[in-house]
Amino acid sequence: MEIWINPACSKCRSALTLLDAEGAEYTVRRYLEDVPTEDEIRDVLARLGLEPWDITRTQESAAKELDMKTWDRDAASRDRWVRALAAHPGLIQRPIITADDGSAVVARTEEAVRDALER
């Protein structure tokens, strides 16, 4: 399993603490430094079963500067959102755990982390 984190994020640190307490084997991806490609973002979205706007932190300053709240949320606009996430990785909701079974979860709660551990 892999977990995308921002070390400054309390939710990320909590998820790591829980993974460690459960003895989980995982790799850490500091996605602000090791920025995911557009294809990697598309893959994670498919694994999550979500759209890019579902994992976008629209309250961040970059999102406000891009005026993302006004962007269409439809199939035709999907690539625009993915490009923005790749260009501004801080907009990606965190942490994201990609589980060994090919699925993924946005692990902002203890329940979501435990869900990933059960996969």
Side-chain angles (χ1 to χ4, degrees):
M1 110 178 23
E2 180 177 79
I3 181 168
W4 291 10
I5 68 156
N6 172 352
C9 169
S10 63
K11 300 282 186 188
C12 294
R13 291 191 307 271
S14 294
L16 292 173
T17 299
L18 181 54
L19 290 174
D20 289 341
E22 295 295 325
E25 291 184 25
Y26 62 91
T27 56
V28 170
R29 180 169 187 173
R30 293 179 178 216
Y31 71 94
L32 297 178
E33 299 163 15
D34 182 8
V35 178
T37 65
E38 290 178 25
D39 285 341
E40 287 175 310
I41 293 169
R42 285 185 191 92
D43 177 63
V44 163
L45 287 167
R47 293 172 80 168
L48 287 166
L50 297 174
E51 293 295 338
W53 45 86
D54 296 325
I55 66 163
T56 300
R57 299 170 57 84
T58 56
Q59 295 302 317
E60 296 292 323
S61 60
K64 290 177 181 178
E65 288 170 20
L66 293 169
D67 201 24
M68 293 178 83
K69 284 191 174 185
T70 65
W71 291 11
D72 290 334
R73 296 177 181 213
D74 56 21
S77 302
R78 191 173 202 271
D79 282 341
R80 180 183 189 196
W81 284 84
V82 169
R83 282 191 305 274
L85 292 175
H88 306 277
L91 296 178
I92 299 172
Q93 191 59 263
R94 61 196 182 242
I96 294 177
I97 297 175
T98 55
D100 293 335
D101 70 353
S103 65
V105 296
V106 177
R108 294 189 57 75
T109 65
E110 181 177 333
E111 294 77 23
V113 176
R114 291 195 183 283
D115 182 42
L117 285 168
E118 293 171 5
R119 296 176 185 214

